[in-house]
Amino acid sequence: MSKERPSLWEQRVEANPDHSRWYTDRFRQMAAQGDDLEGEARLIDAMVPRGARILDAGCGPGRVGSQLHARGHVVVGVDVDPYLINAAETDHPGPTWLVDDICEMDLPSRGVTEPFDVVVCAGNVVTFLAPGSLPDALARMRDHTAAGGRVVVGFGLGRGLEVGDFLDHAKEVGLSVDLLLGTWDVQPFTERSDFLVAVLKR
């Protein structure tokens, strides 16, 4: 692998080339069964007016971004995995889907010049980053967020990323805490929570 710091996701795909297909098929099956896959999109939709600009950072096969697009928002999705981006383009036409690393993304250089009202990073994406690269990812998300806009990051605890460390890195790059939740359906974050949804403000 040529990258100096391949993400844990990229390492997993390198070890098992079928992993991306398995991941995509899993969510396709869940959608076909009628499972509720829209919780993250409902929360983000409630934060912004119709027609907002939203960046889905680590979009995977487009589950969250497609729902936000269906709700009338302008969506750009970015993921490091070309297989997942291809799945997003196939299953969810409408948003702009781009192969890119959220730790390095520079969307203006790719023609996406306007900042975003919200950047959402769901699906445990931050726990799959290369070790030591979380500050870079948060800084890139901040840079793509309009002044006064929000960065919303959700991840499960017990995956090697402590809440205190995450919040320290957010503060270091200039993101302040607006709200901490324990779930995407607005349950409060407590010491017993096993998940964090951090709503951060630029």
Side-chain angles (χ1 to χ4, degrees):
M1 191 171 289
S2 60
K3 285 179 65 174
E4 285 187 19
R5 291 193 301 175
S7 68
L8 300 184
W9 180 271
E10 290 170 295
Q11 293 177 44
R12 184 169 293 188
V13 170
E14 183 178 42
N16 177 13
D18 285 334
H19 181 70
S20 298
R21 179 174 59 81
W22 168 83
Y23 182 81
T24 300
D25 289 346
R26 173 178 169 232
F27 280 105
R28 284 173 173 162
Q29 290 167 7
M30 292 171 70
Q33 293 166 2
D35 292 351
D36 183 4
L37 301 177
E38 302 178 18
E40 299 99 326
R42 284 194 295 268
L43 178 60
I44 300 302
D45 181 53
M47 295 182 179
V48 290
R50 196 65 57 230
R53 290 182 52 78
I54 299 175
L55 173 61
D56 187 355
C59 64
R63 178 177 60 86
V64 177
S66 64
Q67 291 297 327
L68 290 165
H69 174 76
R71 286 166 166 79
H73 302 297
V74 178
V75 175
V76 176
V78 170
D79 200 280
V80 73
D81 190 327
Y83 186 97
L84 300 184
I85 289 295
N86 182 67
E89 291 173 336
T90 299
D91 294 351
H92 307 295
T96 299
W97 305 113
L98 299 171
V99 177
D100 210 337
D101 186 336
I102 65 170
C103 298
E104 303 173 357
M105 62 181 172
D106 176 10
L107 297 185
S109 72
R110 303 189 62 180
V112 182
T113 56
E114 294 184 54
F116 295 89
D117 301 296
V118 173
V119 176
V120 57
C121 185
N124 292 306
V125 168
V126 292
T127 68
F128 283 102
L129 298 176
S133 65
L134 176 60
D136 295 332
L138 289 170
R140 294 290 180 169
M141 291 186 227
R142 175 208 62 206
D143 290 347
H144 288 81
T145 305
R150 288 164 164 167
V151 174
V152 185
V153 181
F155 62 95
L157 306 183
R159 291 172 169 261
L161 177 57
E162 299 297 326
V163 172
D165 292 337
F166 173 83
L167 295 178
D168 285 346
H169 288 313
K171 183 178 180 180
E172 288 166 6
V173 303
L175 294 170
S176 60
V177 174
D178 247 6
L179 181 65
L180 299 181
L181 299 169
T183 62
W184 288 99
D185 60 353
V186 202
Q187 297 297 318
F189 181 79
T190 72
E191 62 182 15
R192 295 185 176 183
S193 297
D194 60 6
F195 199 89
L196 173 69
V197 179
V199 181
L200 310 170
K201 193 167 188 178
R202 179 172 184 185

